[in-house]
Amino acid sequence: MARVVKVFGTLRNHWKKSTVAACALSYGGHWLYGKHCDNLLRKEACVVAREYGRQQISPQEQLRKATVILNPAACSGKANSLFEKNAAPILHLAGVEVTLVKTDYEGQAKKLMELMEQTDMLIVAGGDGTLQEVITGLLRRADQESFSKTPIGFIPLGSHNSLSESLHILSDNQVKHITSATLSILQGETVPLDVLQIKGEKDQPVFALIGLRWGAFRDVAATIKKYWYLGPLKTKAAHWFSTLREWPQVREASVSYLAPTLRPPDLPEQKPQRPHLMYRIAHRLKNYWYPPIPEPPKVEEPERWNERMLSTLELSIHTQNKNPVQARTDDSLLVCVEPDSFSVGEFITVGEKKMEDATAFTRKSLKLEASACQLNLPEEGAGFYNIDNEEYEAMSVEVTLLPRKLHFFCSAERREQLLTQVQ
């Protein structure tokens, strides 16, 4: 008992050191517990992957080949370590023959895709920027019609992973997010995603899975990092300071657009059976003696472009990939035009919402559905675009929708969640 009293007396006499030590021990214990939980998640994912690897294949079959495009600079240089710890073991245990290609500089993924050989699956390990480079390089290929049928997996390792919420179960735990995304590749279920082709007057086209943003909210979002010292108030502060420099921040532009096109039904890809030999001979003789009358050429109707002059705080053009399993009758992109009548308070409130979801729009927004659109901007002072969270110089462009162009691996659990949202 005397020893216990002595210990408490020492803690009371040295209360400052005791407080620091208690805080350090609490933090260390919490950190170790987090590492332990992460290891349990990795072990659980590896057990599931091992079951895929134990599946028997015939002697004629080959191992599935996967080409991984990894951006080591993603997530502040932590992407390589995150991939090796959380994703690579799962792929190897599942019996996938992995070819790992690491990028060394910005834009290299586009060049690598132009030279890449055919593979069973393509895996992008990075963020929005890496994914945008990969699909741009893929769709610039001369054989993109056949190459675009290759299923694509996305392992979210970047600071921005906008597409991940459409494909994977969302989680605040980074390890769980990465492992579940990797396991969804092994499940083999895919969903078709629309692609935007963005073409300027001079440069080669750029392709996007999320969309294009131009305007005041985008410009403010690019400056928020400068106010890091304000903590949770940095978003409000950035929007408020921007109104002090310039208000109203109105942009002038014109948009021409085509009406949406009807979506054809989803038909399974089945090769028709070859007719019997006698049927083919009789059919050829019939065509020889009674040649079919050629049909008159169809007269194509001219495209009807609708034009609108816009005065807006922000204009965005994005796909409807947020819920890829939703049944739609039309193939269309969405043009969202924010009004120029916001007050300063509304500007700050809407700006905070758009930081959470860039595709969100307000009740006052003008929404147009189209299959293609032309965005005409002033020659000077147009600023910059965000295309899938990557910055480009703003210019007049033509945006065309490529419906259901690419197929991405999607987890079965996330598909069920999305179907529930539709109902």
Side-chain angles (χ1 to χ4, degrees), residues 69 108-116 122 133-138 141 147:
I69 307 296
Q108 187 182 19
K110 298 177 187 177
K111 298 179 180 179
L112 292 173
M113 288 304 303
E114 294 175 0
L115 304 173
M116 196 181 79
L122 176 65
E133 286 187 13
V134 168
I135 65 166
T136 296
L138 187 154
R141 292 173 61 110
F147 207 92

Side-chain angles (χ1 to χ4, degrees), residues 162-331:
S162 303
L163 191 65
S164 187
E165 64 179 271
S166 301
L167 304 175
H168 313 132
I169 295 292
L170 299 180
S171 174
D172 295 333
N173 188 300
Q174 189 178 34
V175 173
K176 186 175 182 180
H177 196 184
I178 296 172
T179 54
S180 63
T182 310
L183 289 175
S184 69
I185 297 173
L186 303 181
Q187 293 173 0
E189 294 189 22
T190 61
V191 291
L193 296 184
D194 299 338
V195 179
L196 295 183
Q197 176 182 285
I198 303 170
K199 182 77 169 66
E201 296 180 357
K202 300 178 181 179
D203 300 332
Q204 286 185 298
V206 174
F207 297 88
L209 289 165
I210 306 300
L212 174 150
R213 289 181 70 192
W214 174 70
F217 293 113
R218 187 226 74 89
D219 294 342
V220 174
T223 65
I224 289 178
K225 290 182 179 180
K226 296 194 301 183
Y227 304 102
W228 59 269
Y229 50 85
L230 295 177
L233 298 176
K234 60 184 179 182
T235 302
K236 288 185 178 180
H239 286 83
W240 184 59
F241 289 146
S242 70
T243 60
L244 297 179
R245 290 191 295 268
E246 178 187 0
W247 187 257
Q249 303 178 26
V250 177
R251 306 290 194 274
E252 302 289 340
S254 66
V255 173
S256 302
Y257 60 95
L258 291 174
T261 57
L262 290 175
R263 168 170 284 196
D266 294 324
L267 299 176
E269 294 184 2
Q270 295 180 352
K271 293 184 178 180
Q273 294 182 353
R274 193 177 186 188
H276 192 269
L277 176 62
M278 297 304 297
Y279 176 83
R280 298 200 307 271
I281 294 174
H283 185 68
R284 290 188 178 183
L285 289 175
K286 178 182 177 182
N287 289 339
Y288 178 77
W289 293 108
Y290 304 100
I293 301 175
E295 296 182 0
K298 295 182 179 180
V299 179
E300 296 185 359
E301 296 183 1
E303 296 179 335
R304 297 181 180 179
W305 289 86
N306 302 309
E307 185 174 3
R308 299 190 69 153
M309 301 298 297
L310 302 175
S311 177
T312 177
L313 282 176
E314 179 166 283
L315 182 145
S316 61
I317 304 170
H318 53 83
T319 62
Q320 301 194 47
N321 289 335
K322 195 170 183 179
N323 190 343
V325 300
Q326 182 178 3
R328 300 197 303 270
T329 57
D330 296 331
D331 285 322

Side-chain angles (χ1 to χ4, degrees), residues 18-29:
S18 301
T19 303
V20 173
C23 292
L25 287 174
S26 300
Y27 177 79

